[in-house]
Coordinates of all heavy atoms in Angstrom, one line a residue:
M1 N 0.8 -1.2 0.0 CA 0.0 0.0 0.0 C 0.9 1.2 0.0 O 1.8 1.4 0.8 CB -0.9 0.0 1.2 CG -1.9 1.1 1.3 SD -3.0 0.7 2.7 CE -4.1 2.0 2.5
A2 N 0.6 2.1 -0.9 CA 1.4 3.4 -1.0 C 1.1 4.3 0.1 O -0.1 4.4 0.6 CB 1.2 4.0 -2.3
P3 N 2.0 5.1 0.6 CA 1.7 6.1 1.7 C 0.8 7.2 1.2 O 0.8 7.4 -0.1 CB 3.1 6.6 2.1 CG 4.0 6.3 1.0 CD 3.4 5.1 0.2
A4 N 0.1 7.8 2.0 CA -0.8 8.8 1.6 C 0.0 10.1 1.2 O 1.1 10.3 1.7 CB -1.7 9.2 2.8
K5 N -0.5 10.8 0.2 CA 0.2 11.9 -0.4 C 0.1 13.1 0.7 O -0.8 13.3 1.3 CB -0.5 12.4 -1.6 CG 0.2 13.5 -2.3 CD -0.3 13.7 -3.8 CE 0.3 14.9 -4.3 NZ 1.5 14.6 -5.1
D6 N 1.3 13.7 0.8 CA 1.4 14.8 1.8 C 0.7 16.0 1.2 O 1.1 16.6 0.2 CB 2.9 15.1 2.0 CG 3.1 16.1 3.1 OD1 2.1 16.6 3.7 OD2 4.3 16.5 3.3
T7 N -0.4 16.5 1.9 CA -1.1 17.6 1.4 C -1.0 18.9 2.3 O -1.7 19.8 2.2 CB -2.6 17.3 1.3 OG1 -3.1 16.9 2.7 CG2 -2.9 16.2 0.4
S8 N 0.0 18.8 3.2 CA 0.2 19.9 4.1 C 0.9 21.1 3.3 O 1.4 20.9 2.2 CB 1.1 19.6 5.3 OG 2.4 19.1 4.9
D9 N 0.9 22.3 3.9 CA 1.4 23.5 3.3 C 2.9 23.4 3.1 O 3.7 22.8 3.9 CB 1.1 24.7 4.2 CG -0.4 25.0 4.2 OD1 -1.1 24.6 3.3 OD2 -0.8 25.5 5.3
P10 N 3.4 23.9 2.0 CA 4.9 23.9 1.8 C 5.6 24.8 2.8 O 5.0 25.8 3.3 CB 5.1 24.6 0.4 CG 3.7 24.5 -0.3 CD 2.7 24.4 0.8
D11 N 6.8 24.4 3.2 CA 7.5 25.2 4.2 C 8.3 26.3 3.5 O 8.6 26.2 2.3 CB 8.4 24.2 4.9 CG 8.6 24.7 6.4 OD1 8.2 25.8 6.8 OD2 9.1 23.9 7.2
D12 N 8.7 27.3 4.3 CA 9.5 28.4 3.7 C 11.0 27.9 3.6 O 11.4 26.8 3.9 CB 9.5 29.6 4.6 CG 9.8 29.3 6.0 OD1 10.1 28.2 6.4 OD2 9.9 30.3 6.8
S13 N 11.8 28.8 3.0 CA 13.2 28.4 2.8 C 14.0 28.1 4.0 O 14.9 27.3 4.0 CB 13.9 29.4 1.9 OG 14.0 30.6 2.7
I14 N 13.6 28.7 5.1 CA 14.3 28.5 6.4 C 14.0 27.1 6.9 O 14.8 26.3 7.4 CB 14.0 29.6 7.4 CG1 14.5 30.9 7.0 CG2 14.5 29.2 8.8 CD1 14.0 32.1 7.8
G15 N 12.7 26.7 6.7 CA 12.3 25.3 7.1 C 12.9 24.3 6.3 O 13.3 23.2 6.8
I16 N 13.1 24.5 5.0 CA 13.7 23.6 4.1 C 15.2 23.4 4.5 O 15.7 22.3 4.6 CB 13.6 24.0 2.6 CG1 12.1 23.9 2.2 CG2 14.4 23.2 1.7 CD1 11.8 24.5 0.8
R17 N 15.9 24.5 4.8 CA 17.3 24.4 5.2 C 17.4 23.7 6.5 O 18.4 22.9 6.8 CB 17.9 25.8 5.3 CG 18.1 26.4 3.9 CD 18.8 27.7 4.1 NE 18.7 28.4 2.7 CZ 19.5 29.2 2.3 NH1 20.6 29.5 3.0 NH2 19.4 29.7 1.1
R18 N 16.4 23.9 7.4 CA 16.5 23.1 8.7 C 16.3 21.6 8.5 O 17.0 20.8 9.1 CB 15.3 23.6 9.6 CG 15.2 22.9 10.9 CD 14.4 23.6 11.9 NE 14.0 22.8 13.1 CZ 14.8 22.4 14.0 NH1 16.0 22.8 14.1 NH2 14.4 21.7 15.0
V19 N 15.4 21.2 7.6 CA 15.2 19.8 7.3 C 16.5 19.3 6.7 O 16.9 18.2 7.1 CB 14.0 19.6 6.3 CG1 13.9 18.2 5.7 CG2 12.7 20.0 7.0
Q20 N 17.1 20.0 5.7 CA 18.3 19.5 5.1 C 19.4 19.4 6.2 O 20.3 18.5 6.1 CB 18.7 20.5 4.0 CG 17.8 20.4 2.8 CD 18.1 21.5 1.8 OE1 18.7 22.5 2.1 NE2 17.6 21.3 0.6
S21 N 19.5 20.3 7.1 CA 20.5 20.3 8.2 C 20.3 19.0 9.0 O 21.3 18.4 9.4 CB 20.5 21.6 9.0 OG 21.4 21.5 10.0
I22 N 19.1 18.8 9.4 CA 18.7 17.7 10.3 C 19.1 16.4 9.6 O 19.7 15.5 10.2 CB 17.3 17.7 10.7 CG1 17.0 18.9 11.7 CG2 16.8 16.4 11.4 CD1 15.6 19.1 11.9
V23 N 18.7 16.2 8.3 CA 18.9 15.0 7.6 C 20.4 14.8 7.4 O 20.9 13.6 7.6 CB 18.2 15.0 6.2 CG1 18.7 13.9 5.3 CG2 16.7 15.0 6.4
G24 N 21.2 15.8 7.1 CA 22.6 15.7 7.0 C 23.3 15.2 8.3 O 24.2 14.3 8.3
S25 N 22.9 15.8 9.3 CA 23.5 15.5 10.6 C 23.2 14.0 11.0 O 24.0 13.3 11.5 CB 23.1 16.5 11.8 OG 23.5 17.8 11.4
L26 N 21.9 13.7 10.9 CA 21.5 12.4 11.4 C 21.9 11.3 10.4 O 22.1 10.2 10.8 CB 19.9 12.4 11.6 CG 19.4 13.1 12.8 CD1 17.9 13.0 12.8 CD2 20.0 12.6 14.0
L27 N 22.2 11.6 9.2 CA 22.6 10.7 8.2 C 24.1 10.2 8.6 O 24.5 9.1 8.6 CB 22.6 11.2 6.8 CG 23.0 10.2 5.7 CD1 22.0 9.0 5.8 CD2 22.9 10.9 4.4
Y28 N 24.9 11.2 9.0 CA 26.3 10.9 9.5 C 26.2 10.0 10.7 O 26.9 9.0 10.9 CB 27.0 12.2 9.8 CG 28.3 12.0 10.3 CD1 29.4 11.7 9.5 CD2 28.6 12.1 11.7 CE1 30.7 11.5 10.0 CE2 29.9 11.9 12.2 CZ 30.9 11.7 11.3 OH 32.2 11.4 11.8
Y29 N 25.3 10.4 11.7 CA 25.1 9.6 12.9 C 24.6 8.2 12.6 O 25.1 7.2 13.2 CB 24.1 10.4 13.8 CG 23.6 9.6 15.0 CD1 24.5 9.5 16.1 CD2 22.4 9.1 15.1 CE1 24.0 8.8 17.3 CE2 21.9 8.4 16.2 CZ 22.8 8.3 17.3 OH 22.4 7.6 18.4
A30 N 23.7 8.1 11.7 CA 23.1 6.8 11.4 C 24.1 5.9 10.8 O 24.1 4.7 11.0 CB 21.9 7.0 10.5
R31 N 24.9 6.4 9.9 CA 25.9 5.5 9.2 C 27.0 5.1 10.2 O 27.5 4.0 10.1 CB 26.5 6.3 8.1 CG 25.6 6.4 6.9 CD 26.3 7.1 5.8 NE 25.5 7.2 4.6 CZ 25.7 8.0 3.6 NH1 26.7 8.8 3.6 NH2 24.9 8.1 2.6
A32 N 27.3 5.9 11.1 CA 28.4 5.6 12.1 C 27.9 4.7 13.2 O 28.6 3.8 13.7 CB 29.0 6.9 12.6
I33 N 26.7 5.0 13.8 CA 26.3 4.4 15.0 C 25.0 3.7 15.0 O 24.8 2.5 15.3 CB 26.3 5.5 16.2 CG1 27.7 6.0 16.3 CG2 25.8 4.8 17.5 CD1 27.8 7.2 17.3
D34 N 23.9 4.4 14.6 CA 22.5 3.9 14.8 C 21.9 3.7 13.4 O 21.2 4.6 12.9 CB 21.8 4.9 15.7 CG 20.4 4.4 16.0 OD1 20.1 3.2 15.7 OD2 19.6 5.1 16.6
S35 N 22.0 2.5 12.8 CA 21.4 2.2 11.6 C 19.9 2.1 11.6 O 19.3 1.9 10.5 CB 22.1 1.0 10.9 OG 21.8 -0.1 11.7
T36 N 19.3 2.1 12.7 CA 17.8 1.8 12.8 C 17.0 3.0 12.2 O 15.9 2.9 11.9 CB 17.4 1.6 14.3 OG1 17.7 2.7 15.0 CG2 18.0 0.3 14.8
I37 N 17.7 4.2 12.1 CA 16.9 5.4 11.6 C 17.1 5.6 10.1 O 16.6 6.6 9.6 CB 17.3 6.6 12.5 CG1 18.7 7.0 12.3 CG2 16.9 6.5 13.9 CD1 19.1 8.3 13.0
L38 N 17.9 4.7 9.4 CA 18.2 5.0 8.1 C 16.9 5.0 7.2 O 16.8 5.8 6.2 CB 19.2 3.9 7.5 CG 20.6 4.2 8.0 CD1 21.5 3.1 7.5 CD2 21.1 5.5 7.3
S39 N 16.0 4.1 7.5 CA 14.8 4.1 6.6 C 13.9 5.4 6.8 O 13.4 5.9 5.8 CB 13.9 2.9 6.9 OG 13.4 2.9 8.2
A40 N 13.8 5.9 8.0 CA 13.1 7.1 8.2 C 13.9 8.3 7.5 O 13.2 9.2 7.0 CB 12.9 7.4 9.7
L41 N 15.2 8.3 7.6 CA 16.0 9.3 7.0 C 15.8 9.3 5.5 O 15.8 10.3 4.8 CB 17.4 9.2 7.4 CG 17.8 9.8 8.7 CD1 19.3 9.4 9.0 CD2 17.7 11.3 8.6
N42 N 15.7 8.1 4.9 CA 15.5 7.9 3.5 C 14.2 8.6 3.0 O 14.1 9.3 2.0 CB 15.6 6.5 3.1 CG 15.5 6.3 1.6 OD1 16.0 7.1 0.8 ND2 14.8 5.2 1.2
D43 N 13.1 8.3 3.8 CA 11.8 8.9 3.5 C 11.9 10.4 3.6 O 11.3 11.1 2.7 CB 10.8 8.4 4.4 CG 10.5 6.9 4.2 OD1 10.8 6.4 3.1 OD2 9.9 6.3 5.1
I44 N 12.5 10.9 4.6 CA 12.5 12.4 4.8 C 13.5 13.0 3.7 O 13.2 14.1 3.2 CB 13.0 12.8 6.2 CG1 12.0 12.3 7.2 CG2 13.3 14.2 6.4 CD1 12.4 12.4 8.7
G45 N 14.6 12.4 3.5 CA 15.5 12.9 2.5 C 14.9 13.0 1.1 O 15.3 13.9 0.3
A46 N 14.0 12.1 0.8 CA 13.4 12.2 -0.5 C 12.5 13.4 -0.7 O 12.2 13.8 -1.8 CB 12.6 10.9 -0.8
Q47 N 12.0 13.9 0.5 CA 11.2 15.1 0.4 C 11.8 16.4 0.8 O 11.2 17.4 0.9 CB 10.0 14.9 1.4 CG 9.2 13.7 1.2 CD 8.2 13.4 2.3 OE1 8.2 14.2 3.3 NE2 7.4 12.3 2.2
Q48 N 13.1 16.4 1.1 CA 13.8 17.6 1.7 C 13.8 18.7 0.8 O 13.9 19.9 1.2 CB 15.1 17.2 2.3 CG 16.2 16.9 1.3 CD 17.5 16.6 1.9 OE1 17.7 16.8 3.1 NE2 18.4 16.1 1.2
S49 N 13.9 18.6 -0.5 CA 14.0 19.7 -1.4 C 12.6 20.4 -1.6 O 12.5 21.6 -1.9 CB 14.5 19.3 -2.8 OG 13.5 18.5 -3.5
K50 N 11.5 19.7 -1.3 CA 10.2 20.3 -1.4 C 9.5 20.0 0.0 O 8.4 19.5 0.1 CB 9.4 19.6 -2.5 CG 9.9 19.9 -3.8 CD 9.2 19.2 -4.9 CE 9.8 19.5 -6.3 NZ 9.3 18.6 -7.3
A51 N 10.2 20.4 1.0 CA 9.7 20.1 2.4 C 8.4 20.8 2.7 O 8.1 21.9 2.2 CB 10.7 20.5 3.4
T52 N 7.5 20.1 3.4 CA 6.3 20.7 3.9 C 6.3 20.7 5.4 O 7.2 20.3 6.1 CB 5.1 19.8 3.4 OG1 5.2 18.5 3.9 CG2 5.1 19.7 1.9
K53 N 5.2 21.2 6.0 CA 5.0 21.2 7.5 C 5.1 19.8 8.0 O 5.6 19.5 9.1 CB 3.7 21.9 7.9 CG 3.6 23.3 7.3 CD 4.5 24.2 8.0 CE 4.2 25.6 7.5 NZ 5.2 26.6 8.0
D54 N 4.6 18.8 7.3 CA 4.6 17.4 7.7 C 6.0 16.9 7.7 O 6.4 16.1 8.6 CB 3.7 16.6 6.8 CG 3.6 15.2 7.3 OD1 3.2 15.0 8.4 OD2 3.8 14.2 6.4
T55 N 6.8 17.3 6.7 CA 8.2 16.8 6.7 C 8.9 17.3 7.9 O 9.7 16.6 8.5 CB 8.9 17.3 5.4 OG1 8.1 17.0 4.3 CG2 10.3 16.8 5.2
L56 N 8.7 18.6 8.3 CA 9.4 19.2 9.5 C 8.9 18.5 10.8 O 9.7 18.2 11.6 CB 9.1 20.7 9.6 CG 9.9 21.4 10.6 CD1 11.4 21.3 10.3 CD2 9.6 22.9 10.5
Q57 N 7.6 18.1 10.8 CA 7.1 17.3 11.9 C 7.8 16.0 12.0 O 8.1 15.5 13.1 CB 5.6 17.2 11.8 CG 5.0 16.5 13.0 CD 3.5 16.4 12.9 OE1 2.9 16.7 11.9 NE2 2.9 15.9 13.9
R58 N 8.0 15.3 10.9 CA 8.7 14.0 10.9 C 10.1 14.2 11.4 O 10.6 13.3 12.0 CB 8.6 13.4 9.5 CG 7.3 12.9 9.1 CD 7.3 12.4 7.6 NE 6.0 12.1 7.2 CZ 5.7 10.9 6.6 NH1 6.6 10.0 6.4 NH2 4.4 10.7 6.3
C59 N 10.8 15.2 11.0 CA 12.1 15.5 11.4 C 12.2 15.7 12.9 O 13.1 15.1 13.6 CB 12.7 16.8 10.8 SG 13.2 16.5 9.1
N60 N 11.2 16.4 13.5 CA 11.1 16.6 14.9 C 10.9 15.2 15.6 O 11.5 15.0 16.7 CB 10.0 17.6 15.3 CG 10.5 19.0 14.9 OD1 11.6 19.3 14.8 ND2 9.5 19.8 14.6
M61 N 10.1 14.4 15.1 CA 9.8 13.1 15.7 C 11.1 12.2 15.7 O 11.4 11.5 16.6 CB 8.7 12.3 14.9 CG 7.4 12.9 15.1 SD 6.0 12.1 14.2 CE 6.2 10.4 14.7
L62 N 11.9 12.3 14.6 CA 13.1 11.6 14.5 C 14.2 12.1 15.5 O 14.9 11.3 16.0 CB 13.6 11.7 13.0 CG 14.7 10.7 12.7 CD1 14.3 9.3 12.9 CD2 15.1 10.9 11.2
L63 N 14.2 13.4 15.6 CA 15.1 14.0 16.6 C 14.7 13.6 18.1 O 15.6 13.3 18.9 CB 15.1 15.5 16.5 CG 15.8 16.2 15.4 CD1 15.5 17.7 15.3 CD2 17.3 15.9 15.5
D64 N 13.4 13.5 18.3 CA 12.9 13.0 19.6 C 13.3 11.6 19.8 O 13.8 11.2 20.9 CB 11.4 13.1 19.7 CG 10.9 14.5 19.9 OD1 11.8 15.4 20.2 OD2 9.7 14.8 19.6
Y65 N 13.2 10.7 18.8 CA 13.7 9.3 18.8 C 15.2 9.2 19.2 O 15.6 8.5 20.0 CB 13.4 8.6 17.5 CG 13.9 7.2 17.5 CD1 13.1 6.2 18.0 CD2 15.1 6.9 16.9 CE1 13.6 4.9 18.0 CE2 15.6 5.6 16.9 CZ 14.8 4.6 17.5 OH 15.3 3.3 17.5
A66 N 16.0 10.1 18.5 CA 17.4 10.0 18.7 C 17.8 10.5 20.1 O 18.7 10.0 20.7 CB 18.1 10.9 17.6
A67 N 17.1 11.5 20.6 CA 17.3 12.0 21.9 C 16.9 10.9 23.0 O 17.5 10.8 24.1 CB 16.6 13.2 22.2
T68 N 15.8 10.2 22.7 CA 15.3 9.2 23.7 C 16.2 8.0 23.7 O 16.5 7.5 24.8 CB 13.9 8.7 23.3 OG1 13.0 9.9 23.3 CG2 13.3 7.8 24.3
Y69 N 16.7 7.5 22.6 CA 17.5 6.3 22.6 C 19.0 6.7 22.2 O 19.5 6.4 21.1 CB 17.0 5.3 21.6 CG 15.6 4.9 21.9 CD1 14.5 5.4 21.2 CD2 15.4 4.0 22.9 CE1 13.2 5.0 21.5 CE2 14.1 3.6 23.2 CZ 13.0 4.1 22.5 OH 11.8 3.7 22.8
Q70 N 19.6 7.4 23.1 CA 20.9 8.0 22.8 C 22.0 7.1 23.2 O 23.2 7.3 22.9 CB 21.1 9.3 23.5 CG 20.8 9.3 25.0 CD 20.9 10.7 25.6 OE1 21.6 11.5 25.1 NE2 20.0 11.0 26.5
N71 N 21.8 6.0 23.9 CA 22.8 5.0 24.3 C 22.9 3.8 23.4 O 23.0 2.7 23.9 CB 22.6 4.6 25.8 CG 22.8 5.8 26.7 OD1 23.6 6.6 26.5 ND2 22.0 5.7 27.8
V72 N 23.0 4.1 22.1 CA 23.0 3.0 21.1 C 24.5 2.5 21.0 O 25.4 3.4 21.1 CB 22.6 3.5 19.8 CG1 22.7 2.4 18.7 CG2 21.1 3.9 19.9
K73 N 24.7 1.2 20.9 CA 26.0 0.7 20.8 C 26.0 -0.3 19.6 O 25.1 -1.0 19.4 CB 26.4 -0.1 22.1 CG 26.5 0.8 23.3 CD 26.8 0.0 24.5 CE 27.1 0.9 25.7 NZ 25.9 1.1 26.5
I74 N 27.2 -0.4 19.0 CA 27.4 -1.4 18.0 C 28.4 -2.4 18.6 O 29.4 -2.0 19.1 CB 28.0 -0.7 16.7 CG1 27.1 0.2 16.1 CG2 28.4 -1.8 15.7 CD1 27.7 0.9 14.8
R75 N 28.0 -3.6 18.5 CA 28.8 -4.7 19.1 C 29.2 -5.7 18.0 O 28.4 -6.2 17.3 CB 28.0 -5.4 20.2 CG 28.8 -6.3 21.0 CD 28.0 -6.8 22.2 NE 27.7 -5.7 23.1 CZ 26.8 -5.7 24.0 NH1 26.0 -6.8 24.2 NH2 26.6 -4.7 24.8
F76 N 30.5 -5.9 17.9 CA 31.0 -6.9 16.9 C 31.5 -8.1 17.6 O 32.2 -8.0 18.7 CB 32.2 -6.3 16.1 CG 31.7 -5.1 15.2 CD1 31.9 -3.8 15.6 CD2 31.1 -5.4 14.0 CE1 31.6 -2.8 14.8 CE2 30.7 -4.3 13.2 CZ 31.0 -3.0 13.6
H77 N 31.2 -9.3 17.1 CA 31.6 -10.5 17.7 C 32.4 -11.3 16.7 O 32.1 -11.3 15.5 CB 30.4 -11.4 18.1 CG 29.6 -10.8 19.2 ND1 29.9 -10.8 20.5 CD2 28.4 -10.1 19.1 CE1 29.0 -10.2 21.2 NE2 28.0 -9.7 20.3
A78 N 33.5 -11.9 17.1 CA 34.3 -12.7 16.2 C 33.6 -14.0 15.9 O 32.9 -14.6 16.8 CB 35.6 -13.0 16.9
C79 N 33.7 -14.5 14.7 CA 33.1 -15.8 14.4 C 34.2 -16.9 14.3 O 35.4 -16.6 14.3 CB 32.3 -15.7 13.1 SG 33.2 -15.4 11.7
D80 N 33.8 -18.1 14.2 CA 34.8 -19.2 14.3 C 35.1 -19.7 12.9 O 35.4 -20.9 12.6 CB 34.2 -20.4 15.1 CG 34.0 -20.1 16.5 OD1 34.8 -19.2 17.0 OD2 33.1 -20.6 17.1
M81 N 35.1 -18.8 11.9 CA 35.4 -19.2 10.5 C 36.8 -19.4 10.3 O 37.7 -18.7 10.6 CB 34.8 -18.2 9.5 CG 33.3 -18.3 9.5 SD 32.5 -17.2 8.4 CE 32.9 -17.9 6.9

């Protein structure tokens, strides 16, 4: 099922730059530490050039998620190969 089309109002240039800044910062964080947010970043990143109020709200939700789960760890284990 396809996601519903975003019908919220377009954001101004300051809002678009804020979305781009959040996506860039969290993309670096996601690649280095927390890969669980990559799918959400992909969805937001696809809309960042034509950001709307809904896109900014999704960014705020993602920032809340990153602030709530800030003790993420990557653990590597050796295998017996």
Side-chain angles (χ1 to χ4, degrees):
M1 184 172 184
K5 185 166 174 93
D6 185 6
T7 58
S8 61
D9 295 331
D11 213 350
D12 57 353
S13 63
I14 295 173
I16 291 173
R17 289 182 193 211
R18 178 167 164 73
V19 169
Q20 290 171 343
S21 175
I22 291 170
V23 169
S25 299
L26 287 179
L27 189 58
Y28 179 79
Y29 171 76
R31 286 181 179 166
I33 298 172
D34 186 8
S35 61
T36 60
I37 63 173
L38 282 174
S39 62
L41 277 173
N42 185 35
D43 292 342
I44 294 170
Q47 301 172 0
Q48 70 181 348
S49 66
K50 297 177 183 170
T52 62
K53 303 289 183 189
D54 186 52
T55 309
L56 192 56
Q57 183 180 5
R58 288 175 186 231
C59 284
N60 289 334
M61 288 175 59
L62 194 56
L63 286 172
D64 288 342
Y65 176 84
T68 302
Y69 300 103
Q70 56 186 324
N71 293 326
V72 177
K73 296 180 176 93
I74 296 177
R75 191 174 291 166
F76 294 100
H77 297 281
C79 66
D80 296 330
M81 291 180 71

